[in-house]
Amino acid sequence: MRLPLARPLLLPVLIATVLVTGVARAATDSRAADLLPLLLALVLVLLGAKLGGALFERTGQSPVLGELLAGLVLGNLGLFGYHGLDRLRDVAGIDLLAQIGVLLLLFSVGLETNVPKMMAVGASSLLVAALGVAAPMVLGYFSSAWFFPEHNPLAHWFVGATLCATSVGITARVLADLRRTASTEGRIILGAAVIDDVMGLIVLAVVAGLIGAADRGEAFHAASVLWIVGKALLFLIAAVVVGSWLSRHAFRVATRLAGEGVLLTLALAFCFALAFLAGAAGLAPIVGAFAAGLILDEVHYRDLKARDPGNRDIPELLQPLTTFMVPVFFVLMGMRVDLSVFGSAGVLAFAAVLTAAAIVGKQICALGVLERGTDRLAVGLGMIPRGEVGLIFASIGSTLRIGTQQVVGSEVYSAVVVMVALTTLVTPPLLVWRLRGRVQS
Amino acid sequence: MRLPLARPLLLPVLIATVLVTGVARAATDSRAADLLPLLLALVLVLLGAKLGGALFERTGQSPVLGELLAGLVLGNLGLFGYHGLDRLRDVAGIDLLAQIGVLLLLFSVGLETNVPKMMAVGASSLLVAALGVAAPMVLGYFSSAWFFPEHNPLAHWFVGATLCATSVGITARVLADLRRTASTEGRIILGAAVIDDVMGLIVLAVVAGLIGAADRGEAFHAASVLWIVGKALLFLIAAVVVGSWLSRHAFRVATRLAGEGVLLTLALAFCFALAFLAGAAGLAPIVGAFAAGLILDEVHYRDLKARDPGNRDIPELLQPLTTFMVPVFFVLMGMRVDLSVFGSAGVLAFAAVLTAAAIVGKQICALGVLERGTDRLAVGLGMIPRGEVGLIFASIGSTLRIGTQQVVGSEVYSAVVVMVALTTLVTPPLLVWRLRGRVQS
C-alpha cells in the first residue's frame, strides 16, 4: 500500500515518528561510542572503493587498482594540509574487517579450484617458487652491497629476504576479477605465491637466526627452524585428515539442522576454523582459508544447496560478503602507503634499485614453468607484488643488530616501503594487460 | 575435471602443495596475531548459534532463543569449572561485528516497511510508548520503595527509569523470523519500542540531573535535556531532507558506475552513514539504520537492481550478511548474562519483583493501541524485553551518589541484570506463541 499522501507527509511524519524515535543513547553508551569512527571509516572506504573501482574498471583496468588508489588518497590527505582523516587507518575494527575480507577472498579463490588441479601444476609451482625466492634474494644482496658497502654481509642477505615473499592477495584478486583463477597460469601463480611465502619465512628464520647468533657470538641453532616446519606439517596433516573428513561428513549431517542459512554459516565456520588452525600453527591465516576452499567441494553440500530457496552454492552466498569486505582490505592497503616517504632522493634511488631487483627477480622465476603453451610472462608478472610480508620482515630487521649496527636502518626501511607500494600498484595493470590479451587471442 | 585419483592422492597432494604452502607467518606478524582469538570466537559463536537456533526452530520456537541460550552456555562454562572461554566475550572485534550485525538487522526491518505505513499507526505507537514508560516507572518506584524504604525517593525513580526502555533488537528479530514485521502489531511494536527508548533516555537525563542537583544542593538545569532533544531533531531533519533526497537521486546517479556490487555497496554506505549521523547526534546508531531502511525504497534503485545478474533487491543481497553477523549479536547478548548473579536469594527476590514490574508495566501499555482488531496482548508481549539500555542506566546509576548513598548499589545492579536476562529470554517464546497462533486463526 503506497499512500498518495506519502510525499507531503514525509517531513511531519518523520518528525512525529522518528523524531521522537531519537535522542541520546550513544552519549550514555560507551560501547556505541567506539562504533562511530568505524561507521564513518566504512562509509568513506566503501564509497571510495566503489568510485575508484568503477573509474578504473571503465578504463579496462582491474578495480583493485582503483581501490588501492582510493586508499592512497584517503590516507595521504595530510600531505595537502587536511588532517581530519589522519587516524582513519588506525580506527578500531577496520583492520579486522579487512583481514576477514582477505580471508573470504582467499576462501573464494580456493573454492574455484581443488587439490588435484593444484597438484597438476604442483611441480611448476614449486620450481617457480624456489626460483622466485633465490633470484630476488641474490639481487637484493647485491643491491644492498652496492649502496651500503660498509654493512655486514648478513645485513645484505636480510635485505634480500625482504624481497622474497609474493603477496598473494593482490594477484588473487586480479585473477578473480578476470575470472582466470582456474587457468593454468592462475593456478601456478597461486600455488607458487603461497609456496614462496613459506620459503621466504624459512629464509627469514634462518637469516634472523644467523644474525642473532653472530650478534651474540654463538653458533646458530637449526632446531628453531625445524620447529617452524614441524608445526606447519602438523597443521597440514590435521587439515587433510580432519578437514577433508569434516567437509565430507559435517555438511551431510548438517542437512538435518532446521533453519535458514545453515550452508553459509557452516562454510564460514569451516573457513575460519582452518584459518585459525593455520595461525595457531604459525602459518598465515590466509593459507588456512585457501586450504579450506581447496578442500571444500560442491558434492559435499549438494543436499544443503538444494534446500536453499534460490539453490545458491557457496560462492554465490559468499559474494555479498566479499562485495562488502574485500574492498576494505585493498583500500586499507592503499591507505598504509605513506607518500611522504617518496620525498627523499637517497631513499628513492635505493628504492628504485630494490624495486627493479624485485621485479626482475620474479621474471627469472617464470623459467620454472614446465607446462607447454603457458604464458611465462603472465606468471612472472603475477608474482611481482610484495605486500605486508616484506614490511613485516623489514620491521623485524629494524629490531635486529649486529654489534652496534642496525640490520635494517631507517633508509632501508623506507626503501622497502616504497618497493612494496610500487610492486603492489604496478601489478594489476600489467597483469590485466597480459591476461586480457591472452583471453581474446 | 575430477581426477579418478583424487582420493588416494589427497594426502600426499596436500603435503606436497599446501605443506609447502605453510609455515610460520603469524608468529612474526603482530597483526595476524590479533586475528586468531576473533577467528576462534567466530567459529564457536557461528556453530553455537546454528545448533541452538536449529534446536529451537525444530520445536517451533524462534531461533533467536536458541542463539541466546547458546551464548548463555558459552559465556558461563566457568561455573562448571571450565575457564578456557572466559575471555570469549571480550575478544577484540567480536563486539564490533555484533554491532554491525544489529545495524544490518534494523536496516532490513526498516526496508520491509516505510514511513507512511509507520505513520498510519503513529498515534498508537506514541500512546503505547508513553504508557510503556510511565507504567513500569511507577511500578519500579514502588518495588524499590518496598525493598529499600531507607533509600532516597530519587533512587527509587532511578530504578523505575531502568525499566523504561524496550530493547528493539530482540523483538525485531522475532518479528522478522515470523515474517510479521509489516503487520499492524509489528509496526506498532517497532515504532513504540523506538519511541519509548527515546523517552526513557529523556527520563534518564531528567532523573540523573535531579540526582546530581540534589547531591550538590543546586537547582536542576533543564537546558541539558533541551540540548539532547535539539540534537535529535537536527539529525532527523537532516535524515529527512538530505537522506530521502540522496536515496532518490544517488542510486540513480550510481547506475552509471561500472563494476559489480554497486547496489549493495551503496546501500551499506547509506545505512552506515545514517547510523553514524544518528550516533553523532547522540542517538542510538540503530535508530539511524532503521531510518535508512524506512527511507530507502525499491523504486529508488530499480535500474541498479535490473543490472544485477540475479535481479536481486537489497533485502536479498543483505541476507548473507545478516546470516553471518546477526547471530553474533544474539550469542554475544547471551554470553553477557552472568549466571553467577542468580546465586543470591536477596537479589533474586528483588529481581523477581522488578521483572514482574517490567512485564506488567508493558502489558498496561498495550491499552494504548487504537486500531480495532489488533492483538493487544501481542503488542504488550513484544514490548517486554529490556536490553543493554537497562544495563547502561544501571551502570550510570552506580556512579551516582546522593550524599553518602549510592543510587544503584550492587544488589540493585545485580537485580537489574537478572531482570534484563529474564525479559530477554522470556519474550521470544511468548511472542512466537501469540503471533503464530494469530497467523493461523
Side-chain angles (χ1 to χ4, degrees):
Chain A
M1 176 189 75
R2 293 206 47 84
L3 298 180
L5 290 171
R7 270 195 188 201
L9 266 180
L10 207 62
L11 198 110
V13 150
L14 263 172
I15 287 177
T17 15
V18 200
L19 149 155
V20 191
T21 286
V23 185
R25 178 141 120 198
T28 58
D29 181 352
S30 63
R31 277 187 200 122
D34 296 331
L35 185 64
L36 296 189
L38 178 61
L39 291 176
L40 182 60
L42 283 176
V43 172
L44 291 172
V45 164
L46 290 176
L47 294 182
K50 203 39 75 185
L51 281 176
L55 217 67
F56 279 80
E57 184 139 8
R58 179 146 297 184
T59 61
Q61 282 300 330
S62 169
V64 71
L65 185 59
E67 293 168 13
L68 288 167
L69 291 177
L72 202 72
V73 172
L74 285 173
N76 287 282
L77 290 173
L79 291 180
F80 306 99
Y82 180 70
H83 294 279
L85 300 180
D86 283 2
R87 314 254 343 123
L88 199 59
R89 73 191 85 176
D90 302 319
V91 164
I94 194 107
D95 180 54
L96 288 171
L97 281 178
Q99 288 195 60
I100 294 177
V102 75
L103 286 180
L104 296 178
L105 172 65
L106 268 289
F107 183 46
S108 304
V109 166
L111 283 170
E112 285 183 41
T113 178
N114 58 35
V115 176
K117 279 189 192 164
M118 289 299 290
M119 193 55 190
V121 296
S124 285
S125 289
L126 199 62
L127 257 176
V128 167
L131 287 170
V133 166
M137 190 145 179
V138 171
L139 292 173
Y141 175 91
F142 285 110
S143 307
S144 174
W146 182 34
F147 269 79
F148 305 102
E150 72 281 11
H151 285 188
N152 187 303
L154 281 173
H156 302 324
W157 283 121
F158 200 95
V159 171
T162 65
L163 300 183
C164 289
T166 299
S167 173
V168 72
I170 287 275
T171 302
R173 169 68 189 271
V174 176
L175 290 171
D177 285 340
L178 297 178
R179 306 191 200 291
R180 300 274 287 173
T181 307
S183 67
T184 309
E185 290 87 359
R187 284 177 289 138
I188 293 175
I189 294 171
L190 287 170
V194 172
I195 296 169
D196 84 353
D197 207 22
V198 174
M199 290 180 169
L201 282 152
I202 298 176
V203 166
L204 173 74
V206 173
V207 177
L210 287 170
I211 288 173
D215 187 43
R216 292 186 305 271
E218 293 171 4
F220 168 60
H221 294 289
S224 57
V225 176
L226 280 178
W227 174 226
I228 289 171
V229 180
K231 274 199 295 183
L233 265 173
L234 258 178
F235 163 72
L236 291 166
I237 290 170
V240 172
V241 177
V242 184
S244 66
W245 180 86
L246 259 182
S247 167
R248 222 175 288 127
H249 298 281
F251 283 84
R252 202 167 304 155
V253 172
T255 313
R256 290 188 227 147
L257 285 178
E260 292 171 12
V262 175
L263 178 57
L264 179 62
T265 303
L266 221 64
L268 288 173
F270 189 64
C271 165
F272 295 151
L274 283 194
F276 169 76
L277 289 174
L283 309 179
I286 50 168
V287 168
F290 183 65
L294 281 183
I295 294 169
L296 196 55
D297 207 289
E298 196 173 330
V299 294
H300 302 160
Y301 63 82
R302 61 185 156 206
D303 296 340
L304 272 176
K305 185 187 159 196
R307 224 176 65 184
D308 184 83
N311 197 31
R312 290 169 295 182
D313 57 12
I314 294 177
E316 278 174 279
L317 289 166
L318 279 178
Q319 191 239 319
L321 289 169
T322 53
T323 299
F324 170 26
M325 286 188 255
V326 171
V328 177
F329 178 78
F330 291 105
V331 173
L332 196 64
M333 276 186 75
M335 269 191 228
R336 289 205 172 125
V337 174
D338 180 358
L339 285 181
S340 62
V341 178
F342 286 77
S344 149
V347 167
L348 273 191
F350 185 47
V353 172
L354 267 194
T355 306
I359 293 177
V360 172
K362 291 294 181 180
Q363 300 322 298
I364 294 172
C365 77
L367 298 174
V369 174
L370 304 173
E371 282 75 13
R372 280 153 183 263
T374 305
D375 186 348
R376 287 206 169 81
L377 180 55
V379 172
L381 295 176
M383 301 291 289
I384 288 176
R386 308 299 196 283
E388 300 206 312
V389 188
L391 294 178
I392 293 160
F393 280 24
S395 60
I396 292 170
S398 67
T399 66
L400 297 178
R401 291 175 176 280
I402 307 177
T404 59
Q405 186 211 317
Q406 212 178 358
V407 171
V408 171
S410 66
E411 278 182 308
V412 175
Y413 185 83
S414 299
V416 171
V417 171
V418 174
M419 179 276 291
V420 167
L422 290 180
T423 55
T424 299
L425 294 174
V426 97
T427 303
L430 287 174
L431 208 52
V432 166
W433 158 73
R434 187 66 191 174
L435 284 177
R436 194 160 279 165
R438 298 270 301 178
V439 171
Q440 284 148 1
S441 72
Chain B
M1 177 186 80
R2 297 215 34 93
L3 298 179
L5 289 171
R7 271 198 187 200
L9 266 180
L10 208 62
L11 198 110
V13 149
L14 263 174
I15 288 177
T17 15
V18 199
L19 150 152
V20 189
T21 287
V23 186
R25 179 141 120 196
T28 58
D29 181 352
S30 63
R31 275 189 201 119
D34 296 333
L35 185 63
L36 296 189
L38 178 61
L39 291 175
L40 181 60
L42 283 176
V43 172
L44 293 172
V45 165
L46 290 176
L47 293 181
K50 205 37 78 185
L51 281 175
L55 218 66
F56 280 80
E57 184 139 6
R58 179 145 297 186
T59 61
Q61 281 300 329
S62 169
V64 72
L65 184 59
E67 293 168 13
L68 288 167
L69 291 177
L72 202 73
V73 171
L74 285 173
N76 287 281
L77 290 174
L79 291 180
F80 306 100
Y82 181 70
H83 294 278
L85 300 181
D86 283 1
R87 313 261 335 130
L88 199 60
R89 73 191 84 176
D90 302 317
V91 165
I94 193 109
D95 179 53
L96 288 172
L97 281 178
Q99 288 195 61
I100 294 177
V102 76
L103 286 180
L104 296 178
L105 172 65
L106 267 289
F107 183 45
S108 304
V109 166
L111 283 170
E112 285 183 40
T113 178
N114 59 35
V115 177
K117 279 189 193 165
M118 290 299 291
M119 194 54 190
V121 296
S124 286
S125 288
L126 199 62
L127 257 177
V128 167
L131 288 170
V133 167
M137 192 148 174
V138 170
L139 291 174
Y141 175 89
F142 285 110
S143 306
S144 175
W146 183 34
F147 268 80
F148 306 101
E150 72 281 11
H151 285 188
N152 188 300
L154 281 172
H156 302 323
W157 284 121
F158 200 96
V159 171
T162 65
L163 300 183
C164 290
T166 300
S167 173
V168 71
I170 287 276
T171 302
R173 169 67 189 271
V174 176
L175 290 172
D177 286 341
L178 297 177
R179 307 192 200 290
R180 300 274 288 175
T181 306
S183 67
T184 309
E185 291 85 0
R187 283 176 289 139
I188 293 175
I189 294 171
L190 288 171
V194 171
I195 296 169
D196 86 352
D197 208 22
V198 174
M199 291 181 169
L201 282 151
I202 297 176
V203 166
L204 174 73
V206 173
V207 177
L210 286 171
I211 287 174
D215 188 40
R216 293 186 305 270
E218 292 170 5
F220 169 60
H221 294 290
S224 57
V225 176
L226 281 179
W227 173 227
I228 290 172
V229 179
K231 275 198 297 182
L233 264 174
L234 256 179
F235 163 72
L236 291 167
I237 291 171
V240 172
V241 177
V242 184
S244 66
W245 181 86
L246 258 183
S247 167
R248 222 175 287 127
H249 298 281
F251 283 85
R252 203 168 302 153
V253 172
T255 312
R256 291 188 226 146
L257 285 178
E260 291 171 13
V262 175
L263 179 57
L264 179 62
T265 303
L266 222 62
L268 289 173
F270 189 64
C271 165
F272 294 151
L274 283 194
F276 168 76
L277 289 174
L283 309 178
I286 51 168
V287 168
F290 183 64
L294 281 184
I295 293 169
L296 196 56
D297 206 291
E298 197 173 330
V299 293
H300 302 159
Y301 62 81
R302 63 187 154 203
D303 295 340
L304 272 177
K305 184 187 160 197
R307 223 176 69 186
D308 184 84
N311 197 30
R312 289 169 295 182
D313 58 12
I314 294 176
E316 277 175 278
L317 289 166
L318 280 177
Q319 191 240 318
L321 290 169
T322 53
T323 299
F324 170 25
M325 285 189 257
V326 172
V328 177
F329 178 77
F330 291 105
V331 173
L332 197 63
M333 276 187 74
M335 269 192 228
R336 289 204 172 127
V337 175
D338 181 357
L339 285 181
S340 62
V341 179
F342 286 78
S344 151
V347 168
L348 273 191
F350 185 48
V353 172
L354 268 192
T355 306
I359 293 177
V360 172
K362 290 294 181 181
Q363 299 323 298
I364 294 172
C365 77
L367 299 175
V369 174
L370 304 174
E371 282 75 14
R372 281 156 181 263
T374 304
D375 185 349
R376 287 205 167 81
L377 181 55
V379 172
L381 295 176
M383 301 291 289
I384 289 176
R386 307 302 195 283
E388 300 206 313
V389 188
L391 294 178
I392 292 159
F393 281 22
S395 60
I396 291 170
S398 68
T399 66
L400 297 177
R401 290 175 178 279
I402 307 176
T404 59
Q405 186 211 319
Q406 213 177 358
V407 172
V408 171
S410 67
E411 276 182 311
V412 176
Y413 185 83
S414 299
V416 171
V417 170
V418 174
M419 179 276 291
V420 167
L422 289 180
T423 55
T424 300
L425 293 174
V426 96
T427 303
L430 287 175
L431 208 52
V432 166
W433 159 74
R434 187 66 190 173
L435 285 176
R436 194 160 280 165
R438 298 272 299 178
V439 171
Q440 284 149 0
S441 70

